[in-house]
Amino acid sequence: MVVAIALAKLVLHCIFNNRYGYFRDEFDYMSCGDHLAWGYVDQPPLVPFLVRVSRMVLGDSLRSIRFLPALASSVIVILTAMIARPVDGRRFALGLSAVAVLIAPIYLSGGSLLTTNSFEPLLWMGCVYFAILAIKRDPRY
């Protein structure tokens, strides 16, 4: 059920991600992706690298540029359910947490634009998940 909700979120983003045109920072990331370097003044090198890979694999369309943020936003749904399971969440808790992330405005907007902030919730939720696993396995952590 959680995977179906995540796939629905991905499809939703892929359908509606081309409605408003390019965001000004997306042009910057595309330009930096054409000229990769280890350090930029205004952003870390991960996002320009991901834009370059996305453009090489999927092309230059607006949907292809915004596919990776949509994918990251969809993985957040699955990761939220994975966080709910170790804290003794059953089927209802997993579904409720997945739906809550699905309709949360911050995650809906995060998957709609390519920014450096698109990938932060995914990374932080991953940190929380591994912290919960460490605490559940050995309470001394």
Side-chain angles (χ1 to χ4, degrees):
M1 174 177 73
V2 173
V3 174
I5 293 170
L7 285 175
K9 184 174 178 75
L10 180 64
V11 168
L12 176 84
H13 279 298
C14 287
I15 290 172
F16 294 109
N17 267 355
N18 68 339
R19 300 288 177 173
Y20 296 111
Y22 288 95
F23 182 57
R24 64 180 178 226
D25 287 348
E26 291 172 334
F27 288 123
D28 184 34
Y29 301 135
M30 289 169 28
S31 175
C32 291
D34 290 338
H35 309 284
L36 289 175
W38 278 106
Y40 299 102
V41 175
D42 55 346
Q43 77 252 359
L46 177 65
V47 175
F49 174 73
L50 291 175
V51 169
R52 182 175 183 150
V53 170
S54 177
R55 289 174 70 192
M56 288 171 47
V57 173
L58 300 172
D60 283 331
S61 71
L62 188 57
R63 282 192 173 117
S64 69
I65 300 293
R66 294 180 179 168
F67 178 74
L68 290 177
L71 184 63
S73 180
S74 299
V75 171
I76 288 172
V77 173
I78 296 171
L79 195 53
T80 302
M82 288 173 62
I83 289 171
R85 184 175 295 276
V87 293
D88 298 329
R90 292 193 178 91
R91 188 175 287 216
F92 178 74
L94 299 179
L96 182 64
S97 63
V99 169
V101 170
L102 174 72
I103 62 173
I106 189 72
Y107 299 123
L108 284 173
S109 65
S112 300
L113 294 174
L114 176 67
T115 64
T116 54
N117 300 343
S118 302
F119 303 102
E120 286 177 2
L122 178 64
L123 296 174
W124 281 113
M125 284 182 137
C127 291
V128 167
Y129 175 67
F130 287 119
I132 289 172
L133 286 182
I135 291 169
K136 290 291 270 186
R137 289 187 181 159
D138 191 357
R140 291 179 296 168
Y141 291 128

